[in-house]
Amino acid sequence: WYQREFTVPRDWDGRRIATRIEYLNSFATVYVDGKKVGEVRFPAGELDLTSACTPGATHVLSVLVVALPLKGLMLSYTDSASAREVKGSVPRRGLCGDVYLVSQPAGPRIGETRTGTSVRKQEFTFGAALENLAGDARYTLRARVVDGGRTVREFMSRAFSAGDLKAGRIEFTEKWRPEKLWDLH
């Protein structure tokens, strides 16, 4: 268990209030003033606390962290050619990074983003989790590829509305074969 008392700044009234966990191994259940507000999973995440917090008030944040091995039982090979079963373990567990209280303006916001590329298909894919979209508004997303501070290419999604989201996400793919291919080395 981890626990900390915190005071929400008064000027955060009307804003989204969240806790950001930077590195977690493996699973956390989060409580504010003893009431469960949600869960965060490895490796990190952000959890909305707005409904559980009052700007200007002091609250208690409690986090129950459980380390979950990938498998309950694993095969371990020692010097011999035979394997034996050993209990799965997580060597680094708990809150391994910082935990912050953060605030953002209320209204539409971009959450987690993802990009994907395919040299074979000559495609670039951009996806984002979107929150609090107005039901009657239209939106577009723009993605920019930058190399050394210089914009190499810009992509724009078609116009969409909240009803076009699938599981809270939007994704678009464009044809593109860059002059310089990416290399992780």
Side-chain angles (χ1 to χ4, degrees):
W1 280 95
Y2 298 85
Q3 193 170 64
R4 172 137 247 171
E5 192 174 86
F6 67 98
T7 301
V8 179
R10 287 189 189 284
D11 61 353
W12 285 11
D13 191 29
R15 296 176 61 91
R16 178 182 182 268
I17 301 166
T19 185
R20 181 175 298 147
I21 299 176
E22 285 193 340
Y23 183 22
L24 162 71
N25 214 349
S26 309
F27 176 82
T29 305
V30 180
Y31 301 83
V32 173
D33 299 330
K35 295 183 182 87
K36 181 179 173 182
V37 291
E39 300 166 345
V40 178
R41 288 172 173 70
F42 173 85
E46 190 172 285
L47 185 62
D48 191 333
L49 305 178
T50 309
S51 63
C53 295
T54 304
T58 299
H59 301 280
V60 175
L61 177 71
S62 304
V63 182
L64 173 61
V65 179
V66 179
L68 303 172
L70 293 175
K71 292 183 177 179
L73 291 175
M74 299 172 25
L75 294 178
S76 175
Y77 293 87
T78 54
D79 292 338
S80 68
S82 63
R84 63 184 178 91
E85 281 190 351
V86 296
K87 186 177 178 185
S89 66
V90 180
R92 192 168 178 191
R93 57 188 178 268
L95 293 177
C96 303
D98 291 326
V99 177
Y100 296 98
L101 185 65
V102 296
S103 159
Q104 292 127 355
R109 78 188 264 306
I110 297 174
E112 176 265 337
T113 62
R114 254 186 245 157
T115 60
T117 60
S118 172
V119 173
R120 183 175 52 81
K121 293 180 181 178
Q122 298 183 6
E123 290 180 343
F124 173 86
T125 301
F126 179 79
L130 303 172
E131 299 173 10
N132 301 327
L133 299 185
D136 58 348
R138 305 284 293 161
Y139 300 90
T140 57
L141 284 178
R142 186 174 62 196
R144 210 167 40 137
V145 177
V146 178
D147 183 12
R150 180 180 70 82
T151 299
V152 176
R153 181 77 189 264
E154 210 167 283
F155 304 93
M156 189 170 302
S157 73
R158 63 173 173 72
F160 61 90
S161 65
D164 295 322
L165 300 183
K166 291 184 174 99
R169 297 186 58 80
I170 196 78
E171 187 174 280
F172 65 94
T173 301
E174 297 284 337
K175 287 290 188 185
W176 182 45
R177 184 173 191 318
E179 293 176 24
K180 182 169 101 177
L181 296 179
W182 300 351
D183 187 351
L184 296 177
H185 302 290

